[in-house]
Amino acid sequence: MNPLTEKLIQQVNEKLKDSPLFFFSRDAERSLGLENVLDNYYIAAVESNYVSHSLKKLKENNIKTTQEHDEILKNDSTLELVKNAKVQEWIKQHAPNKFYAQFFHFNQPAVRVMEGLGGTVLNISADLNRKFEGKLSQYKVFEENSIPTPKSLVANISDVSWASLSTDLGSLKFVVQEDRAHTGIGTHFLENEGDFLLLQKALDGNIVRISQMVDGNSYTINGCVTKKGVFVAGLQYQITGIRDLTPGKGSTIGNDWTHGYRSVTPEMRIALFDITKKIGEIMQKDNYRGLYGIDLVVDGDKFFVIEINARQTANIPLQTKLELNQNQVPLALINLAEWLDIDFDIEAYTQLQEIEGSQIFLRSKTDGFTIKDQLKSGIYRLQSDNAAAKRIAEQGEWTMDQVIYIDEEQDKPLIWQKDGYSIDFIEAGGFVLLCQKKGQTRNKFDEVARMQFTYQIVYIEGVAPWILEAMKAIEDRIR
């Protein structure tokens, strides 16, 4: 482990010794990254799934989900999680005096609940999140600070026409963004007037951002605003819009850190580092602190900033694991040290560091998608047909939930090797597969399966074909 990382972990653990840290989210996966290096760290999640069950086995008292005892929330929000009586009893049991609270997604009422219990919340305010993450207000930030972004206008969608958009934006292809949305749900790609009229009717009266559709590859990069300066790390190629994996053209379905770093020129790496740092410095003027991310499109020697994610991004848990395994100081650890007011010795980076690893998701294409077959989560390897036949012959038909054939000839099976909820459990090759539980219902764009790797999966030609075949086979098995 990097000596700077070791020292910072010691400083954080000293701070948490008498005041434990509780992380709140819908899915326990969002709390991962530092769970094995922090001594006084607790996780509360809405959903009871493979990750939460695995954590429960390893750290029985440090994980709480509201579905453990068939508890039903009014909805699956973080607010309902922190208001839950059993969750509050659990917090008081482990933190009778004071504690820290950290959220993945949060709102001001949830913050007030934690503060009412004596907690100190380690997140930016909801107002700052809205200012920098709202599609309309962040565009104002881009304009005021000369951030390169696609030519756009903010308007009531009912007050514009296809012809006026073509004239004002100089394009015949547009992207319409609703103010508050995620996972591509509120982003609409329009290439003809008919689609525009349908969307105009659906969003009648809404103020939206309408932009030129720019060509190029999508990237994500993370940053962290601290008193030591703005740290930038983790350039990723953003896997988006593959029809077999998601219903949305703009929906993110994965990240490849290796390809992200290697697929752009050294000059572009410098430019992307600089713009991410500049945006962090702009945010810092409003007293923003902690993690954030930006999405960009790169087209040759040009780039355009698409949006800011003013919070911990969903890819941070895996990035943190990769950084720890590759002797780098994780942004998530720097973020925690910043919020705990630790005077750390690490200087802000001056250039991007290469990170090796990737992940890809399968999303539900409809509302009300029910998981009808259980696939075993854990560490898998792509092996030969003889290996699958041997496993089934030795252990019986019950092992079928551990074998996934990805072609009709059944000569390319994915075979379960052992339990493991993260890349920490990969020893001799293979990857992590996380599947939703049988009987669970997912809505459109919700994740139903995830694969995580310690190596590259995207190349110039696109995502490795066997991975797309595997996701298709998984979907066919569970639907």
Side-chain angles (χ1 to χ4, degrees), residues 9 49 53-54 59 66 72 122 165 172 178 222 225 275 284 333 340 377 420 437 474:
I9 289 170
N49 56 27
H53 291 172
S54 299
K59 305 182 179 195
T66 54
I72 304 299
L122 309 183
L165 291 177
L172 291 175
E178 300 174 51
N222 290 314
V225 178
I275 195 65
Q284 192 170 34
L333 185 61
L340 293 173
S377 295
K437 292 195 313 186
I474 290 169

Side-chain angles (χ1 to χ4, degrees), residues 422-434:
S422 76
I423 62 167
D424 290 341
F425 295 85
I426 299 173
E427 295 176 346
F431 59 91
V432 180
L433 174 63
L434 301 175

Side-chain angles (χ1 to χ4, degrees), residues 105 207 344 466:
H105 277 148
I207 306 296
F344 53 89
W466 76 265

Side-chain angles (χ1 to χ4, degrees), residues 51 152 238 331 351 368:
V51 173
S152 307
Q238 193 177 79
L331 274 187
Q351 61 183 1

Side-chain angles (χ1 to χ4, degrees), residues 172-433:
L172 291 175
K173 295 181 180 180
F174 308 102
V175 179
V176 176
Q177 291 178 295
E178 300 174 51
D179 191 31
R180 301 288 292 177
H182 62 88
T183 325
I185 295 173
T187 300
H188 311 274
F189 295 83
L190 305 175
E191 300 187 23
N192 59 71
E193 187 173 9
D195 288 345
F196 169 73
L197 293 174
L198 288 174
L199 183 64
Q200 190 177 46
K201 183 177 181 180
L203 298 181
D204 184 37
N206 278 271
I207 306 296
V208 296
R209 176 186 173 187
I210 308 174
S211 309
Q212 289 178 326
M213 188 186 300
V214 295
D215 295 323
N217 293 318
S218 298
Y219 292 81
T220 293
I221 187 167
N222 290 314
C224 185
V225 178
T226 79
K227 54 184 167 294
K228 288 278 190 176
V230 177
F231 289 76
V232 178
L235 175 63
Q236 311 145 51
Y237 177 86
Q238 193 177 79
I239 309 169
T240 58
I242 298 176
R243 186 173 298 178
D244 286 341
L245 303 184
T246 181
K249 185 174 180 179
S251 175
T252 301
I253 48 171
N255 319 84
D256 192 318
W257 284 261
T258 317
H259 186 66
Y261 185 89
R262 296 176 182 175
S263 61
V264 298
T265 64
E267 294 77 16
M268 182 56 70
R269 287 181 209 137
I270 293 171
L272 299 184
F273 178 94
D274 288 345
I275 195 65
T276 307
K277 185 176 180 181
K278 177 180 178 178
I279 289 173
E281 290 169 344
I282 291 166
M283 297 165 76
Q284 192 170 34
K285 292 176 182 177
D286 274 324
N287 296 316
Y288 188 97
R289 49 195 306 218
L291 290 166
Y292 69 101
I294 65 172
D295 293 340
L296 312 101
V297 170
V298 175
D299 180 18
D301 60 354
K302 299 181 295 183
F303 70 87
F304 303 91
V305 177
I306 303 302
E307 65 184 30
I308 302 171
N309 295 299
R311 52 183 164 79
Q312 172 187 314
T313 56
N315 56 68
I316 280 290
L318 179 55
Q319 178 171 317
T320 303
K321 295 284 188 185
L322 296 171
E323 288 168 326
L324 284 171
N325 291 346
Q326 294 165 40
N327 294 317
Q328 299 181 27
V329 183
L331 274 187
L333 185 61
I334 293 170
N335 171 72
L336 192 51
E338 168 65 19
W339 279 103
L340 293 173
D341 292 321
I342 292 172
D343 185 17
F344 53 89
D345 298 329
I346 304 167
E347 298 297 326
Y349 310 136
T350 58
Q351 61 183 1
L352 287 171
Q353 304 295 312
E354 183 173 6
I355 298 175
E356 182 89 9
S358 55
Q359 64 181 350
I360 193 166
F361 323 127
L362 172 66
R363 298 193 184 279
S364 172
K365 301 181 180 70
T366 61
D367 288 334
F369 179 90
T370 301
I371 311 299
K372 295 183 178 178
D373 191 12
Q374 183 68 55
L375 291 177
K376 192 170 179 64
S377 295
I379 308 302
Y380 277 75
R381 292 184 68 183
L382 178 64
Q383 297 186 261
S384 69
D385 57 335
N386 291 333
K390 183 179 179 181
R391 171 74 65 88
I392 294 171
E394 289 177 350
Q395 301 184 27
E397 286 298 320
W398 65 269
T399 61
M400 286 304 296
D401 69 341
Q402 303 174 13
V403 176
I404 304 167
Y405 293 105
I406 66 175
D407 65 338
E408 293 182 359
E409 292 76 21
Q410 297 190 346
D411 60 0
K412 290 196 297 183
L414 305 179
I415 302 179
W416 182 86
Q417 305 296 305
K418 64 175 187 175
D419 274 315
Y421 66 84
S422 76
I423 62 167
D424 290 341
F425 295 85
I426 299 173
E427 295 176 346
F431 59 91
V432 180
L433 174 63

Side-chain angles (χ1 to χ4, degrees), residues 9-292:
I9 289 170
Q10 291 173 358
Q11 289 177 284
V12 168
N13 280 330
E14 183 64 27
K15 197 84 172 184
L16 299 181
K17 186 167 61 176
D18 299 318
S19 299
L21 171 62
F22 293 83
F23 192 101
F24 300 92
S25 62
R26 269 188 57 187
D27 186 344
E29 192 276 337
R30 299 293 189 261
S31 68
L32 301 182
L34 300 173
E35 78 281 4
N36 293 321
V37 298
L38 299 181
D39 294 336
N40 210 1
Y41 182 54
Y42 296 85
I43 296 164
V46 173
E47 295 184 356
S48 177
N49 56 27
Y50 179 78
V51 173
S52 65
H53 291 172
S54 299
L55 290 168
K56 193 79 173 174
K57 289 179 183 178
L58 296 172
K59 305 182 179 195
E60 182 177 356
N61 296 321
N62 293 58
I63 175 74
K64 175 73 174 176
T65 68
T66 54
Q67 295 178 1
E68 285 173 1
H69 306 292
D70 296 322
E71 298 174 56
I72 304 299
L73 300 181
K74 294 177 182 177
N75 56 59
D76 59 3
S77 70
T78 306
L79 175 59
E80 292 300 321
L81 174 66
V82 299
K83 287 168 61 178
N84 182 272
K86 290 186 178 180
V87 171
Q88 292 190 7
E89 290 172 9
W90 174 73
I91 293 171
K92 292 173 183 176
Q93 175 189 349
H94 295 289
N97 298 315
K98 57 181 181 177
F99 65 94
Y100 297 105
Q102 201 170 35
F103 293 90
F104 179 65
H105 277 148
F106 72 101
N107 52 42
Q108 206 55 44
V111 169
R112 285 196 291 269
V113 171
M114 284 296 96
E115 291 175 341
L117 293 174
T120 300
V121 177
L122 309 183
N123 290 83
I124 58 150
S125 70
D127 288 341
L128 268 182
N129 171 265
R130 281 192 293 270
K131 174 175 181 177
F132 290 112
E133 188 153 337
K135 303 301 184 292
L136 309 185
S137 53
Q138 73 178 216
Y139 178 59
K140 184 178 180 182
V141 173
F142 293 161
E143 280 194 309
E144 291 175 347
N145 293 278
S146 301
I147 303 297
T149 193
K151 189 174 182 181
S152 307
L153 59 86
V154 173
N156 187 320
I157 195 169
S158 303
D159 295 339
V160 297
S161 67
W162 183 259
S164 68
L165 291 177
S166 302
T167 300
D168 295 340
L169 298 180
S171 175
L172 291 175
K173 295 181 180 180
F174 308 102
V175 179
V176 176
Q177 291 178 295
E178 300 174 51
D179 191 31
R180 301 288 292 177
H182 62 88
T183 325
I185 295 173
T187 300
H188 311 274
F189 295 83
L190 305 175
E191 300 187 23
N192 59 71
E193 187 173 9
D195 288 345
F196 169 73
L197 293 174
L198 288 174
L199 183 64
Q200 190 177 46
K201 183 177 181 180
L203 298 181
D204 184 37
N206 278 271
I207 306 296
V208 296
R209 176 186 173 187
I210 308 174
S211 309
Q212 289 178 326
M213 188 186 300
V214 295
D215 295 323
N217 293 318
S218 298
Y219 292 81
T220 293
I221 187 167
N222 290 314
C224 185
V225 178
T226 79
K227 54 184 167 294
K228 288 278 190 176
V230 177
F231 289 76
V232 178
L235 175 63
Q236 311 145 51
Y237 177 86
Q238 193 177 79
I239 309 169
T240 58
I242 298 176
R243 186 173 298 178
D244 286 341
L245 303 184
T246 181
K249 185 174 180 179
S251 175
T252 301
I253 48 171
N255 319 84
D256 192 318
W257 284 261
T258 317
H259 186 66
Y261 185 89
R262 296 176 182 175
S263 61
V264 298
T265 64
E267 294 77 16
M268 182 56 70
R269 287 181 209 137
I270 293 171
L272 299 184
F273 178 94
D274 288 345
I275 195 65
T276 307
K277 185 176 180 181
K278 177 180 178 178
I279 289 173
E281 290 169 344
I282 291 166
M283 297 165 76
Q284 192 170 34
K285 292 176 182 177
D286 274 324
N287 296 316
Y288 188 97
R289 49 195 306 218
L291 290 166
Y292 69 101

